[in-house]
Amino acid sequence: MFIKLVRYDGWHFSKVDPVRLKRQAISLKEQIESKIHVDDDPYCFYSRTMPLVEAAIRGEISASVNGRESRYISGNFNHDESEGTLPPQYDREFTRALAGFDVTVQGLSLEETEDIVINGEVYGRLEFEEEGDWPDRVKHP
């Protein structure tokens, strides 16, 4: 692991950790493929989420993604999850993989971040994983 200064808006970092993102994307892809049939996908994981997951696996995402603007997770899924009405295949393992990917791709801070101002821009310290850090050296699985 190493620490890097990354622009920070108080909620999102401008960049994502590509190693962690790839790890989270692989986990989510496995969950989607094992629990959701492509012809029975009411929350559109294959059409909305999977393209972003595949891009993350290929290493094509370096900037954080605004979840509100891109809508890569269906609002219906979020609603049903909050209501506790998700079908059984969207179990704890699935929702954990989805949450891990979502937090990582949006560049959300999981800890309190000290603001560092450089030339009027706000930065924060972000831990980046290196290949081989998983599972022994990561803070947030």
Side-chain angles (χ1 to χ4, degrees):
M1 306 233 8
F2 63 95
I3 296 175
K4 195 173 175 179
L5 279 179
V6 178
R7 258 191 351 213
Y8 180 66
D9 67 9
W11 188 247
H12 298 88
F13 285 97
S14 62
K15 296 194 180 301
V16 296
D17 174 345
V19 174
R20 179 176 182 198
L21 182 60
K22 181 178 180 179
R23 177 172 57 79
Q24 296 286 355
I26 289 168
S27 175
L28 180 56
K29 181 179 180 181
E30 290 170 355
Q31 289 294 309
I32 291 170
E33 291 178 341
S34 69
K35 296 183 177 169
I36 302 169
H37 190 276
V38 71
D39 295 328
D40 185 19
D41 182 14
Y43 301 115
C44 305
F45 281 102
Y46 282 97
S47 61
R48 283 185 169 191
T49 312
M50 197 62 94
L52 191 61
V53 166
E54 294 287 351
I57 291 170
R58 289 188 305 267
E60 296 172 355
I61 299 173
S62 60
S64 61
V65 174
N66 186 330
R68 291 183 187 174
E69 289 177 5
S70 71
R71 302 285 185 200
Y72 55 87
I73 299 174
S74 165
N76 291 336
F77 177 86
N78 290 332
H79 175 268
D80 290 354
E81 181 182 30
S82 69
E83 293 292 319
T85 59
L86 287 173
Q89 66 267 35
Y90 303 98
D91 58 10
R92 180 174 156 85
E93 193 175 33
F94 183 91
T95 56
R96 186 174 181 177
L98 180 61
F101 177 78
D102 188 33
V103 164
T104 304
V105 79
Q106 287 195 65
L108 297 174
S109 179
L110 294 174
E111 300 173 343
E112 190 172 322
T113 302
E114 175 189 354
D115 291 352
I116 299 167
V117 180
I118 301 171
N119 295 328
E121 298 268 345
V122 178
Y123 292 80
R125 289 182 177 90
L126 180 61
E127 287 187 353
F128 282 74
E129 293 179 16
E130 296 178 272
E131 294 293 338
D133 282 350
W134 173 256
D136 300 330
R137 296 184 193 156
V138 300
K139 254 189 211 176
H140 306 287

